Amino acid sequence: MKFGVAISSALEALIANPLRSFLTMLGIMIGVASVMAMMAISEGAARQVDEQISALGASNLTLRPGASRRGGRSSGANSAPPFTDKTVQALRQEPYITAVSARNNGGVTVISGNDNWSTQLFGTNTDYFVTQAWKLTSGEFFSERNLSQGAAVAVIGATIADTLFDGTNPLGQNIRANNVPLRIIGVLEKKGQSGFGGDRDDVVIVPITTARNRILGAHRTTPKHVNSIEVGVADGYDMADAQTRLENRLREIRKIKPTGTDNFRVFNVADFVRARSSTQATMGLLLAFTAAVSLIVGGVGVMNIMLVSVTERTKEIGLRMAIGARKSDILGQFLAEAIALCFIGGLIGSGLGVGAAELAARMGGFPVSISPFIAATALSASVLIGLFFGYFPARRAANLNPIEALRYE
Amino acid sequence: MKQAPISSDAIIRCDSVSKTYIMGEQKVHALRDVSVAFAAGEMTAIMGPSGSGKSTLMNLIGALDVPTSGDLYIQGRNLAKLDVDELADLRNETIGFVFQQFNLLGRATALTNVKLPLRYSRKLDEDIDARAVECLQLVGLGDRMGHRPMQLSGGQQQRVAIARALAGRPSIILADEPTGALDTQTSGEIMDLLVNLGQQGITVILVTHEAEVAAYAQRQIHFRDGVIEREIRTEP
Ligand SMILES: Nc1ncnc2c1ncn2[C@@H]1O[C@H](COP(=O)(O)OP(=O)(O)O)[C@@H](O)[C@H]1O
Ligand SMILES: [Mg+2]
């Protein structure tokens, strides 16, 4: 096949009949546009979920004391012994764990001057800043030394800084949390809403020792208790594997007999978010699939017009054969015509798709993500459609008998 | 019935060629056992009543159709031995067709029409545009190259078709009733063109009903009912 002739003959034929060419492209245009828009929307949703997951810590496992639920009945979280600083120390030795953060939390009223504010207070260790990937806008995190001394220092979230210190620098200022004075040593970078709707910046973080000893109070029987532990799993370890090893290690630490039931739970918060978003993803896929069907319908339209065109131009095909076109030249010409229709339709459709996605983002507030990958996929899909649905008409043209084609009226 | 002697240096040779069309129950013997040869550079007129098999023979020589029996040789090559691509290349490089109905691409300009066979050529290495322009000038249409067939008279259209047939520098021109759709004066102009080609060494075979047209040829072959009825040489 001679490519140059195939392509120029194809374009000549398309330009000779512009209205028909445009109407034929319309199906492909709408198909590609809807595939693009649907992919952009479902990609946008997926990206939002990814962001939520990475905010939660994609490679974190959360540990809570308490029996696993059985038959819908909880056997009482309170009866299970709490974690302690020792549990945290022990888990630090595990090779697949990079960080072990401890956290006790409770609601407090924070007072600064005449303003007061109800918020969450987290008593944590230093690893907490690592597993939660907190960053500072100013100041510093508390140190191991602050932790061991139970220092009266606090790191505050952006919401607290905005509410209580509107405009002024909070660093070095004192606040009172449940009447305990705390010196502010750091202000955290804004994280925004959590995947579950809460404000993650509405928080005061203090050393866990300070929280236990002076603000939130200690456990009845276990003075060095820790409400929840979060571990960061090292790169290269499978999350499910790590979870199993962690569970086994916890059974050892908590001296549970092989026949005994766990009195703790380990879960992967990212999994919750994924599960919640999977219906959303299925919906997006379904929409994309519907859009793909419309693209295929567009392809059938192209095939239909190409078949009509081959019949109409039988005499022309006969002439081309008479002056020396090979079968492959004719095949190439009609394939090129179908592909050009689909490719140009795809180009215009991509533009429309981007427009539709932008509109969905503006009007419907959908999270939208348009990547070059999506455009490339939609375009190559339209070229493939042209190739697939153009082949049958093109082969019919190429297989015409020269003399019969030439005599056709 | 006398048949032409077959010379071995003929550019075209038909050996006992028959073509039978089957139309339902009926068999139409378009050609019966025809043996004929054409010498290189000779101009031949094929005559005979309508339905006598003239076009059938032209199509067989032009490698557009295959005989029911018998063999055709073009420049010594047996057409039955060539595959479809080789036949296409033969039509492209060796043969130029001129049809009664011109058969130009309606949406293309005269120049594009003439370029068409050159674009399919696999061996030509000359500038396609220059060659097409040259051929159009040769047929006297140097000033009509951008015109579409619709904007040209019948005679001009047939001249574009001749330029197209010439473009690939063929050894053989097959013209099936090239003046059949033209008036007498225009016919004369077209015939002058074809005679000119014959004088340049191209083998021209033309089908015609008109004795005046046939008179341009050095040889006349008359067909009737699929066989050669008689042959006349008008060699000086
Ligand atoms: N494709 C075809 N199918 C059936 N019969 C045909 C076909 N082509 C030609 N014929 C018949 O073969 C005979 C010779 O036709 P043709 O070679 O076209 O005659 P001419 O060109 O001398 O007028 C005619 O009887 C015609 O009807
Ligand atoms: Mg005829």
Side-chain angles (χ1 to χ4, degrees), chain B residues 175-219:
Chain B
D176 193 348
E177 303 195 39
T179 59
L182 303 175
D183 60 55
T184 321
Q185 203 214 313
T186 330
S187 294
E189 289 166 18
I190 295 296
M191 282 315 298
D192 286 339
L193 265 176
L194 291 174
V195 169
N196 208 306
L197 296 180
Q199 282 162 358
Q200 288 168 29
I202 299 179
T203 310
V204 179
I205 304 178
L206 80 108
V207 173
T208 182
H209 286 296
E210 295 154 71
E212 311 93 88
V213 172
Y216 285 91
Q218 294 134 351
R219 183 185 179 200

Side-chain angles (χ1 to χ4, degrees), chain A residues 1-2 5 8-9 12-13 16 313 315-316 319-326 329 333 402-403 406-407, chain B residues 21 59 64-65 84-85 88-89 91-92 97 99 103-105 107 112 116-122 164:
Chain A
M1 191 211 317
K2 302 192 77 183
V5 205
S8 54
S9 308
E12 277 161 24
R313 282 150 67 194
K315 201 177 176 75
E316 173 194 325
L319 169 78
R320 285 177 188 270
M321 289 174 163
I323 62 174
R326 289 186 183 178
D329 290 326
Q333 176 186 340
I403 187 64
L406 197 56
R407 281 228 201 86
Chain B
Y21 295 105
N59 295 336
L64 287 172
D65 208 353
V84 283
D85 282 349
D89 292 352
R91 293 194 289 265
N92 185 253
F97 284 100
F99 305 95
N103 282 351
L104 299 175
L105 284 192
R107 58 172 181 268
T112 306
L116 209 52
L118 299 172
R119 282 157 68 184
Y120 288 119
S121 171
R122 262 122 182 131
R164 180 181 64 191

Side-chain angles (χ1 to χ4, degrees), chain A residues 101-106 120-125 128 142 147 204-212 216 226-228:
Chain A
S101 75
R103 191 182 86 182
N104 288 0
N105 60 317
Q120 280 284 314
L121 180 125
F122 291 172
T124 72
N125 61 5
Y128 184 75
F142 54 74
L147 193 63
V204 173
I205 304 177
V206 300
I208 192 168
T209 43
T210 315
R212 272 194 307 235
L216 300 175
V226 171
N227 279 353
S228 78

Side-chain angles (χ1 to χ4, degrees), chain A residues 323-356:
Chain A
I323 62 174
R326 289 186 183 178
K327 263 176 185 243
S328 55
D329 290 326
I330 303 293
L331 186 84
Q333 176 186 340
F334 282 89
L335 259 188
E337 230 169 271
I339 291 172
L341 275 172
C342 291
F343 182 74
I344 298 167
L347 270 184
I348 302 173
S350 301
L352 292 179
V354 171

